[in-house]
């Protein structure tokens, strides 16, 4: 064990050296950190022992996901000799803050949203990844756009300096592709429908489906206290498709107001689907009262009662077991189209689980982070289904069916991936007024009033 520890300490020294070289004029970490939170001027450090061959991880994965995650860790644990202790907590976002405040942070945490990650990065509790990961190589293998969501905003110099600003504090270890449209494959093929490549073609497809006597869109928003998030994803998709990544990122970062005319226009464009008679199965009350996971049920009837559903790659887990068992023959999927046709693949709306390090002094935790954030992690989880690698270089042969391979290829080939907007926005907005505002909007509130009220709720 001593030899292995010295080997990892040597690797740590090399990683830190590379990190300092890559970070250029950014604030240099102090190798002498330790003993409590060192902040971004030193090493973030938790209360656990360093170099003891044990690494603790906190995340939200439970059930089958936990079992598949641990299966993906097993070969690494055997080879490295590191014992990884994973703890699940469905209320991760709250629990991680409580544990950090109590001085009981895990070695590694999996953040489903960049907002919580950056909140703890700002207090110096998370280690900048440039000290132990090769950022240049990461950017070559990752789908473009994901790392940018982990940069702590602010100016690192001047009177209002933000310590550690401009540096990255997490790296993705799981990807979700949210720019997808699902359909019942047998009925689709029988009707001879073709996947649209522009919004105009999508509108024409909707008309074609209506003419056949079927409602074009399946839609369900009910998620108990989280009702409305499906609507926020729709708006995010419309902003991205209509105006592209630059306007999208300006909106989610509040460089332009929430009620900017372009955003109001995206609401109005979505209204042509969500608020127009005959476009959505069951109408407004069905949308608001039906559980998200049941959205595609009417599409799987014979004959189908709706044909299209816009939902993320995690839709697979919502489908009935018999559909999952024959996925390639039962459902099809195509990328949500851009406004105009282009030789370049459209940008996509995505999400990711971001791994972050709370113990920058522990060579074992660093070695685990290097594995989790590489394209070598996840083969066993991918084979079990329900997991996508954020790396373009991940071997697609690991995916269990063609449907998942197509979803992964759409993400890998995208011109850019933008992070789910409600996950980037302040919590008061992203999982607050934006969610509730969408419910009010679909029930009749105007686009102008909805966006103005959400803008007024943005923290000052």
């Amino acid at each position: 064990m001593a030899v292995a520890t010295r080997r990892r300490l040597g690797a740590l020294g090399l990683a830190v050296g590379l990190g300092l070289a890559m970070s250029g004029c950014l604030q240099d970490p102090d190798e002498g950190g330790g003993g409590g939170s060192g902040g971004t001027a030193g090493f973030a450090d938790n209360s656990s022992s360093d170099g003891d061959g044990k690494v603790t991880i906190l995340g939200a994965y439970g059930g089958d996901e936990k079992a598949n995650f641990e299966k993906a860790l097993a070969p690494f644990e055997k080879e490295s000799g590191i014992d990884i202790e994973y703890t699940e907590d469905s209320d991760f976002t709250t629990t991680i803050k409580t544990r950090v405040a109590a001085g009981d942070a895990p070695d590694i945490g999996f953040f489903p949203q960049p907002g919580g990650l950056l909140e703890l990065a700002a207090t110096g509790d998370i280690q900048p990844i440039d000290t132990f990961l090769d950022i240049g190589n990461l950017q070559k293998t990752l789908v473009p756009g994901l790392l940018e969501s982990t940069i702590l905003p602010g100016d690192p110099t001047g009177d209002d300096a933000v310590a550690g600003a401009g540096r990255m504090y997490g790296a993705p270890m799981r990807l979700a592709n949210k720019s997808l449209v699902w359909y019942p494959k047998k009925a689709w093929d029988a009707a001879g429908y073709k996947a649209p490549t522009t919004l105009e073609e999508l509108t024409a497809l909707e008309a074609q489906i209506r003419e056949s006597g079927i409602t074009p869109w399946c839609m369900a928003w009910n998620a108990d206290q989280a009702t409305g998030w499906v609507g926020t994803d729709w708006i995010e998709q419309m902003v991205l498709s209509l105006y592209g990544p630059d306007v999208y990122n300006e909106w989610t970062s509040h460089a332009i107001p929430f009620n900017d005319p372009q955003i109001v226009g995206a609401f109005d464009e979505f209204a042509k689907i969500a608020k127009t008679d005959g476009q959505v199965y069951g109408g407004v009350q069905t949308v608001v009262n039906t559980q998200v996971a049941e959205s595609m049920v009417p599409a799987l009837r014979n004959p189908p009662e709706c044909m299209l559903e816009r939902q993320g790659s995690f839709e697979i887990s919502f489908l009935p077991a018999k559909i999952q068992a024959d996925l390639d023959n039962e459902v099809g999927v195509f990328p949500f189209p851009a406004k105009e046709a282009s030789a370049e693949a459209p940008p996509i709306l995505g999400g990711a689980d971001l791994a972050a390090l709370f113990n920058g002094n522990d060579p074992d935790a660093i070695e685990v982070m290097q594995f989790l954030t590489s394209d070598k992690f996840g083969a066993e989880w991918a084979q079990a289904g329900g997991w996508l690698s954020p790396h373009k270089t991940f071997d697609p042969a690991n995916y269990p069916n063609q449907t998942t391979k197509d979803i992964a290829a759409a993400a890998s080939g995208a011109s850019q991936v933008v992070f789910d907007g409600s996950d980037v926005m302040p919590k008061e907005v992203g999982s607050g007024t934006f969610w509730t505002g969408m419910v009010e909007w679909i029930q009749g509130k105007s686009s102008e009033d909805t966006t103005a009220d959400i803008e007024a709720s943005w923290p000052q």
Side-chain angles (χ1 to χ4, degrees):
M1 188 66 191
V3 173
T5 301
R6 286 195 295 271
R7 171 178 58 80
R8 290 192 291 272
L9 283 169
L12 171 59
L14 175 60
V16 171
L18 288 171
L20 294 179
M22 289 184 290
S23 62
C25 63
L26 296 175
Q27 186 176 10
D28 289 344
D30 172 13
E31 290 191 61
S37 176
T40 49
F43 280 104
D45 196 11
N46 62 4
S47 60
S48 67
S49 299
D50 301 332
D52 61 355
K54 293 183 180 180
V55 173
T56 58
I57 299 178
L58 180 68
Y61 305 134
D64 290 343
E65 287 192 316
K66 177 180 180 180
N68 292 331
F69 172 51
E70 291 177 336
K71 187 184 299 182
L73 292 176
F76 171 81
E77 289 183 282
K78 183 176 181 180
E79 180 181 352
S80 67
I82 299 173
D83 178 24
I84 301 174
E85 299 176 357
Y86 172 73
T87 301
E88 64 183 277
D89 192 309
S90 59
D91 193 19
F92 170 87
T93 303
T94 300
T95 301
I96 191 65
K97 293 179 184 178
T98 302
R99 287 188 54 175
V100 168
D104 184 34
D107 294 319
I108 294 170
F110 293 155
F111 287 80
Q113 300 166 333
L117 168 77
L118 296 178
E119 183 178 339
L120 293 177
T123 58
D125 291 296
I126 296 178
Q127 182 75 11
I129 66 171
D130 60 64
T131 59
F132 59 91
L133 297 178
D134 187 328
I135 304 298
N137 280 341
L138 261 184
Q139 290 174 326
K140 289 177 183 177
T141 66
L142 286 173
V143 295
L146 290 177
L147 276 180
E148 285 75 3
S149 68
T150 75
I151 297 174
L152 184 64
D155 185 349
T157 62
D159 293 338
D160 298 319
V162 177
R167 301 177 79 169
M168 298 173 179
Y169 290 86
M173 48 78 68
R174 184 186 190 183
L175 175 69
N177 179 352
K178 295 191 172 187
S179 288
L180 299 171
V181 180
W182 300 79
Y183 57 85
K185 193 172 190 300
K186 293 174 182 176
W188 173 279
D189 291 345
Y193 297 135
K194 301 297 181 184
T197 58
T198 66
L199 290 179
E200 184 177 358
E201 290 179 2
L202 179 62
T203 300
L205 174 63
E206 292 168 358
Q208 191 179 2
I209 294 170
R210 284 197 308 273
E211 289 169 4
S212 74
I214 298 174
T215 304
W217 289 98
C218 313
M219 197 179 295
W221 290 15
N222 191 292
D224 301 321
Q225 291 88 351
T227 297
W229 71 260
V230 175
T232 69
D233 278 8
W234 261 104
I235 293 297
E236 290 156 11
Q237 183 65 67
M238 298 309 301
V239 172
L240 181 62
S241 294
L242 289 169
Y243 309 116
D246 290 344
V247 170
Y248 179 93
N249 289 326
E250 289 174 351
W251 170 56
T252 59
S253 66
H254 210 220
I256 60 174
F258 200 102
N259 59 340
D260 181 275
Q262 296 170 108
I263 310 308
V264 176
F267 272 76
D268 288 342
E269 192 66 26
F270 180 37
K272 295 177 183 178
I273 294 174
K275 289 188 172 185
T276 302
D277 289 343
Q279 281 279 74
V280 178
Y281 175 78
V284 170
Q285 290 308 310
T286 296
V287 169
V288 173
N289 292 319
T290 303
Q291 287 289 322
V292 172
E294 298 177 7
S295 181
M296 206 172 175
V297 169
L300 301 173
R301 294 172 183 151
N302 188 16
E305 296 178 299
C306 53
M307 187 61 65
L308 309 171
E309 183 191 19
R310 190 225 59 81
Q311 188 54 277
S313 49
F314 42 80
E315 171 64 29
I316 293 174
S317 66
F318 296 158
L319 297 172
K322 66 178 183 179
I323 301 296
Q324 292 188 42
D326 193 21
L327 198 66
D328 290 344
N329 291 316
E330 294 291 345
V331 297
V333 64
F334 62 82
F336 197 96
K339 182 178 181 181
E340 299 175 351
S342 172
E344 188 176 53
I348 69 168
L349 179 68
D353 291 319
L354 304 166
L357 180 66
F358 289 93
N359 192 357
N361 289 319
D362 184 11
D364 300 315
I366 286 174
E367 190 170 347
V368 173
M369 278 289 293
Q370 290 169 339
F371 171 64
L372 291 172
T373 59
S374 75
D375 60 1
K376 301 300 186 288
F377 167 72
E380 296 81 4
W381 198 347
Q383 290 160 10
W387 182 88
L388 289 181
S389 173
H391 295 272
K392 297 179 292 185
T393 48
F394 184 77
D395 186 355
N398 289 313
Y399 294 121
N401 49 63
Q402 189 59 47
T403 302
T404 305
K405 290 175 183 177
D406 291 345
I407 292 169
S412 296
S415 56
Q416 187 173 338
V417 177
V418 297
F419 214 98
D420 180 293
S422 60
D423 288 346
V424 174
M425 295 172 185
K427 184 177 181 180
E428 299 93 325
V429 177
S431 56
T433 54
F434 196 3
W435 283 0
T436 57
M438 289 308 304
V439 176
E440 294 171 351
W441 175 84
I442 200 172
Q443 291 177 327
K445 194 170 181 176
S446 71
S447 301
E448 291 81 359
D449 288 347
T450 300
T451 55
D453 287 348
I454 297 172
E455 168 61 23
S457 74
W458 200 286
Q460 301 299 315

